[in-house]
Amino acid sequence: MSKYRGIFLEEATEHLSEMSAALLRLEKKPVCAEDIDTVLRMAHSIKGMAATLNYDSITEVAHGLEDLMQHARNRGRLAGDEQTALLFRGMEALESMIARVRDTGENPPANPALAAALADGPLLAADSSKKKSPEPSSLNRAPRDVPEALVSPTPPPSVRVQTETLDRFLSTVGEVILNSSQLRTAAESSAKRTAGLTRGLDRMDRVVGELQRRALELRTTPILRIVEPLRRVAREVAQLAGKRVEVEIQGAELDLDRSILDRLSDPLVHLVRNAVDHGIEMPDVRAAAGKSRTGVVTIDARRVKDQVRIAVCDDGGGLDLEAIRARAIERGLLVPDLAEDLTPQDVAGFVFHPGLSTAERISQISGRGVGMDAVRATIESLGGSVELQTEPGEGTTTTLVVPITAAVQRVLLVATRGETLAIPVRLVERILEVEAGEIEHSGGESFALIDGEPVLVLDLADQIGLAPDPDAASGTLVLTEVRNERVGLRVGRVVGHQQIYVKPLPALLAELRMLAGLTILGDGRPVFLLDLNQLT
């Protein structure tokens, strides 16, 4: 039964996702026959699967939704807001029940009140028809020719594969890459290396590279999977706050590593809730400011080289910088004498401090000062960063920057005190030599003047708990970024750069936050990948 339960949970989750998207569209356009059919079809599928596994309570609710949608299909539209709210209530009940099956494997308790409400749902349609005539059903209209370019293509056949299976496959590919690298290293050091061996190694590199690309394609999935549910998040928060909001999604077709995508869901939910609750103004306030009464939250995903930038932007009132400044002073995070000298960007950055909130009261939505610090911690743990921009009266944009894949990365290899370490190349601005006399020391910190600006200098050996590197006196600096700030990382020497397969850390080292992963070089030496955001 556990095997079939797993299939049921996976398929039911997909059906509920499609149902949610269709209901959100029906809320705006209740006469859309295609979306009515989608909800009906998803409810029918969930009912059939639940009945097979004897989940009677799920079957009952799904049957009620199906019956209600059948009446909507016959009329060619939903009855109105009350019926739409009932449909959302039924769908949310199914989500809770399926979550309970996932946690316990047992049949969830029945919900007689909801079942009765769904059974009476068609009466809402009858009452509504007495108040106003329904719009003509699109189901009864004569078919018309649709341009071929507008017809949705049939999706290619697909096979469901468990994530664990993909992980094992990708791990095996990683071992092939490591073995190939070790073989080439051994061949290059061999005095009897032949032209035939060189050609064979070149062919192996091409085949392994292609295998690697195919493996990564299997491990990625469209961002749509986590951004589409955000429409409902915005809708629910707007209803609680008495606001109106539209959600626009762009770039949802981009692919991202599943291990990264799964961890982006919570930060994005928090950003959307913040945008609606704190950013979007009340309808009357927006109208007085000359804006549309309905606010807009835009989720825009773009690929930039080997990174994906996901921006959550609202057209609300922007952050209250003076309130943030005052709260930071109140919490002792900011000295009053220096407060006025901070740039707007610096003031806005205080929202990432744990416990800092400008809300006057704690509500169901927010106000506890928890969330933005967790957003940044999650993104930084993925090797990414968070950017924040705000304009009073215009809105706020929060951008999450994350790597496309965590499994394979191009890194810069550096050595310090006999240890070789890896730094993601995407975080390296440039490498430069600075004379020891050009590095100044003040208040326990070191600085170097680069491009006319003072840049904090950190000694890598000191950061990883080693004695200062005598070779670093020459001042080899890796100019990089730590939490959106320019930093010069002093190292002994630069070894080179290459593409590596990142393996997870052993359990004994998992608590060392500065280490993001492990790889094996061609000569068999283990090398740790650094998480620069954990440098102090």
Side-chain angles (χ1 to χ4, degrees), residues 322-383:
E322 291 307 315
I324 294 173
R325 196 192 312 264
R327 192 58 58 89
I329 293 173
E330 179 186 319
R331 292 284 309 280
L333 304 174
L334 186 59
V335 179
D337 294 341
L338 301 177
E340 297 302 323
D341 297 332
L342 293 181
T343 65
Q345 190 72 14
D346 291 335
V347 175
F350 280 104
V351 301
F352 294 108
H353 195 280
L356 192 144
S357 174
T358 59
E360 296 298 329
R361 60 183 177 82
I362 295 176
S363 67
Q364 291 180 319
I365 306 170
S366 59
R368 303 179 190 275
V370 190
M372 289 302 288
D373 59 316
V375 168
R376 185 170 69 175
T378 299
I379 300 305
E380 289 180 351
S381 71
L382 296 172

Side-chain angles (χ1 to χ4, degrees), residues 71-143:
H71 282 82
R73 172 193 268 181
N74 294 339
R75 318 180 59 247
R77 62 168 296 140
L78 294 184
D81 293 342
E82 191 175 353
Q83 195 176 67
T84 303
L86 180 58
L87 288 168
F88 274 106
R89 182 182 164 195
M91 182 186 64
E92 288 162 1
L94 286 179
E95 289 175 335
S96 298
M97 289 176 167
I98 289 170
R100 184 179 178 89
V101 171
R102 181 178 289 107
D103 293 338
T104 67
E106 300 175 357
N107 183 33
N111 190 333
L114 176 60
L118 289 171
D120 292 339
L123 298 177
L124 298 174
D127 292 340
S128 176
S129 63
K130 295 177 183 178
K131 298 175 184 177
K132 61 178 181 179
S133 299
E135 297 181 17
S137 170
S138 58
L139 291 173
N140 298 325
R141 295 173 186 165

Side-chain angles (χ1 to χ4, degrees), residues 5 74 96 143 145 149 154 167 192 214 216 262 283 380 406 416 426 433 447 469-470 472-473 490 494 510:
R5 186 184 304 120
N74 294 339
S96 298
D145 294 333
T154 302
D167 288 339
K192 298 181 179 180
R214 298 299 183 189
L216 291 178
D262 290 342
E380 289 180 351
T416 184
R426 58 187 166 77
E433 294 291 332
F447 297 89
D469 191 346
R490 186 164 55 179
V494 174

Side-chain angles (χ1 to χ4, degrees), residues 423 427-429 478-482 485-489 532:
I423 301 172
L427 300 179
V428 177
E429 180 181 329
V478 177
L479 200 58
T480 182
E481 190 177 87
V482 176
E485 292 188 10
R486 214 174 179 201
V487 169
L489 195 60
L532 298 185

Side-chain angles (χ1 to χ4, degrees), residues 44 51 97 104 120-121 126 139 148 152 194 199 208 220 251-252 265 290 439:
H44 179 77
M97 289 176 167
T104 67
D120 292 339
L139 291 173
E148 185 176 353
S152 300
T194 64
R199 288 194 297 271
V208 169
T220 59
S265 181
I439 299 178

Side-chain angles (χ1 to χ4, degrees), residues 243 273-281 314 317-319 357-359 366-367:
K243 299 178 181 180
R273 289 169 65 91
N274 262 10
V276 178
D277 187 34
H278 294 304
I280 302 298
E281 311 98 327
D314 67 73
L319 295 178
S357 174
T358 59
S366 59

Side-chain angles (χ1 to χ4, degrees), residues 408-464:
V408 178
Q409 296 190 36
R410 183 160 291 279
V411 298
L412 179 73
L413 298 175
V414 298
T416 184
R417 297 294 293 176
E419 295 289 340
T420 302
L421 299 160
I423 301 172
V425 166
R426 58 187 166 77
L427 300 179
V428 177
E429 180 181 329
R430 68 180 189 266
I431 303 167
L432 54 142
E433 294 291 332
V434 178
E435 296 296 331
E438 297 178 22
I439 299 178
E440 300 181 2
H441 306 276
S442 175
E445 295 183 331
S446 301
F447 297 89
L449 197 64
I450 300 174
D451 300 331
E453 296 183 357
V455 173
L456 178 66
V457 174
L458 300 176
D459 187 275
L460 181 56
D462 179 60
Q463 290 290 318
I464 61 176

